[in-house]
């Protein structure tokens, strides 16, 4: 089968054999935001190229959002692999081609404010072999980081933090950015650790952000290391608010995501005494395979 | 004398009599960011117009910053009116004209991270007649809100929160802005109160921000009221972190600033059981008058 992880800014395609093992992979910057005039079918066919045959295609991520190919209603937490598979939607296009889109997940945080994910549910389903029986906590850092409670084979609930996006807008558009060097940010372990420590002090995030300005202004943190300090402040606040309390029973936090970012979270969790384990982010292909297996029988007539 | 409050985006000029009473006032959008090529003297003379005579001129605000007319080193907390007056700097320009610039204030938050203000120290000095003997807490909301501890006639220390700027960059540049109507934001009391309540819940600011997105996405908060919800979340977090604990001894929070914004903070403080008192923001003119009175004798030769 063909497994497609189609997000806002990138497209990853895997060719899987009948056991779900990855035989080949492709990656392109053809995220849904780069697709003009709804030309999703054309984009997918172009990226598949010579891979096009009769193999079933299953897709997850923002491709199922309002801005994607087809808006697929969210499944609700708690949800297991078959709850999610049941709500997959089949789309068909020219020459008899078709594909399935995985729904996102929603949950209610204390029954008051809703929360949503699209794509992460598939990564988590694909990580099931790595998760313990009973309870586990996962963290999928990114533009919108997800903290996910796993219980008895289900996604029990989750909370999203806007950490990555807040970093990006402050970096680019606030007074903090003016004290930072142009170009790509290299990681500075010392400044990052200082930001993490700062997040543990009194005064709150909005005050700590201004402190990044004054420390830059006073020359205490240089223009190439200030981004790491800011990153430490933000990730430190995210972890303080959303990571489970560190006790012997809670087990490690399971991290899934881009290698560099996952490394930062692992460092941040360690600095406050919390264990973590990294799960390979190719688990999204495994998740798409398991969801395809759980497609309700006869559903290809849907 | 002429009292000048010269900030980043605006310029306010007061003509005072010998008792410090305001005789006339002018306001212009000629903040320091709008002054090209360091033409501060020309700008000031143009705004003064027919007011130009031998009256002494005293200025406070970002005009004393690195981006202003002359960078004036900060006075350090704790500081009273004479400590600040002692560090005023005299500048002279063509035709024998001169003016004094008030220094900003710096303090060390727990001896680790520095904090700074420019302009607010003058407003506080000008509010002295309204403050109790002993201790008081002031809040000067704005792009960078100041929470100031006043003790025995001195500015004892303060903390800045980047609340106003974080609101502006999220409003304009983040995914939250896409769910908000274009144009000026009207205040919606109900959405603002909902944001304040949300700030009191678990999950932290970075999670609550994402909740503004999902509540917009699910149609629970409309595109014209979402800005007020976001504002409530941010101000609620600022107050929770920086306002003094509400007990009988702490007294009201003294608010100084633009009328609409001060009204929001008063509402927010009341919603968590804290008293507040609004001080007229013309106190900046009174502060400039008192600083002029405290100029060390003979200092006009400096």
């Amino acid at each position: 089968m063909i497994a497609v992880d189609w997000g806002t800014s990138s497209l990853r395609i895997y060719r899987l054999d009948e056991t779900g093992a990855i035989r080949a992979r492709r990656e392109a910057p053809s995220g849904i935001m780069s697709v003009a005039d709804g030309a999703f079918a054309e984009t997918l066919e172009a990226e598949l190229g010579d891979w096009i045959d009769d193999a079933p295609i299953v897709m997850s991520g923002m491709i199922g959002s309002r801005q994607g190919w087809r808006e697929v209603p969210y499944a609700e937490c708690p949800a297991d692999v078959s709850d999610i598979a049941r709500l997959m939607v089949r789309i068909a296009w020219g020459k008899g081609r078709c594909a399935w889109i995985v729904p996102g997940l929603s949950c209610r945080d204390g029954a008051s404010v809703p929360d949503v994910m699209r794509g992460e549910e598939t990564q988590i389903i694909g990580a099931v072999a790595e998760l313990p029986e009973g309870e586990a906590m996962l963290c999928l850092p990114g533009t919108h980081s997800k903290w996910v409670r796993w219980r008895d084979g289900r996604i029990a609930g989750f909370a999203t933090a806007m950490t990555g996006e807040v970093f990006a807008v402050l970096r680019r558009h606030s007074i903090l950015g003016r004290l930072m060097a142009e170009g790509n940010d290299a990681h500075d372990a010392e400044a990052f650790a200082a930001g993490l420590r700062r997040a543990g002090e009194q005064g709150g995030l909005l005050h700590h952000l201004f402190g990044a300005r004054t420390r830059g202004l006073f020359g205490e943190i240089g223009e190439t290391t200030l981004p790491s300090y800011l990153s430490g402040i933000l990730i430190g606040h995210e972890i303080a608010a959303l990571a489970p309390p560190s006790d012997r029973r809670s087990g490690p936090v399971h991290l899934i995501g881009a290698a560099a970012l996952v490394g930062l979270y692992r460092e941040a969790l360690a600095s406050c005494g919390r264990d973590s384990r990294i799960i390979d982010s190719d688990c999204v292909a495994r998740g798409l395979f398991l969801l395809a297996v759980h497609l309700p029988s006869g559903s290809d007539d849907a």
Side-chain angles (χ1 to χ4, degrees), chain A residues 60-294:
Chain A
S60 66
M62 291 300 280
I63 190 66
S65 71
R66 205 171 297 174
Q67 294 77 39
W69 196 334
R70 171 86 62 85
E71 186 172 7
V72 180
Y74 295 103
E76 272 179 43
C77 284
D80 66 11
V81 58
S82 54
D83 296 325
I84 296 171
R86 193 175 306 123
L87 292 173
M88 288 167 69
V89 165
R90 181 175 178 271
I91 49 171
W93 67 97
K95 303 178 220 157
R97 303 220 175 280
C98 75
W100 290 89
I101 301 181
V102 176
L105 261 191
S106 68
C107 77
R108 285 266 161 188
D109 175 4
S112 69
V113 175
D115 207 332
V116 294
M117 61 167 61
R118 279 202 191 273
E120 293 91 349
E121 73 296 324
T122 303
Q123 294 178 283
I124 297 163
I125 292 299
V128 63
E130 313 256 8
L131 298 175
E133 300 207 7
E135 299 199 15
M137 174 64 80
L138 296 94
C139 171
L140 296 87
T143 304
H144 300 152
S145 295
K146 308 291 176 185
W147 289 82
V148 183
R149 295 182 302 284
W150 173 263
R151 188 159 51 228
D152 302 329
R154 288 165 183 249
I155 298 172
F158 60 92
T160 304
M162 239 175 95
T163 315
E165 182 166 1
V166 169
F167 176 85
V169 298
L170 291 173
R171 172 81 179 85
R172 278 182 224 144
H173 300 291
S174 84
I175 199 165
L176 299 181
R178 288 189 228 159
L179 294 162
M180 298 176 184
E182 299 274 338
N184 288 327
D185 297 333
H187 178 59
D188 183 274
E190 198 179 323
F192 182 69
L196 292 174
R197 282 194 304 276
R198 181 61 172 151
E201 294 175 9
Q202 285 199 312
L205 175 55
L206 295 165
H207 174 51
H208 296 161
L209 293 177
F210 192 75
R213 167 169 155 78
T214 46
R215 296 199 73 181
L217 205 61
F218 281 43
E220 295 179 4
I221 301 184
E223 61 171 18
T224 58
T225 53
L226 200 55
S228 291
Y229 181 66
L230 174 60
S231 174
I233 288 174
L234 289 167
I235 293 175
H237 274 277
E238 176 189 339
I239 286 175
L242 295 174
S246 70
D247 61 40
R248 202 172 287 266
R249 284 172 41 218
S250 63
V253 173
H254 300 263
L255 290 164
I256 304 175
L261 194 57
V262 157
L264 291 188
Y265 275 72
R266 188 168 160 78
E267 199 175 321
L269 285 162
S271 81
C272 39
R274 289 179 177 91
D275 269 352
S276 61
R277 271 191 63 220
I278 294 174
I279 296 178
D280 192 301
S281 64
D282 278 341
C283 57
V284 68
R286 184 79 196 162
L288 288 160
F289 176 78
L290 293 175
L291 285 162
V293 168
H294 279 80

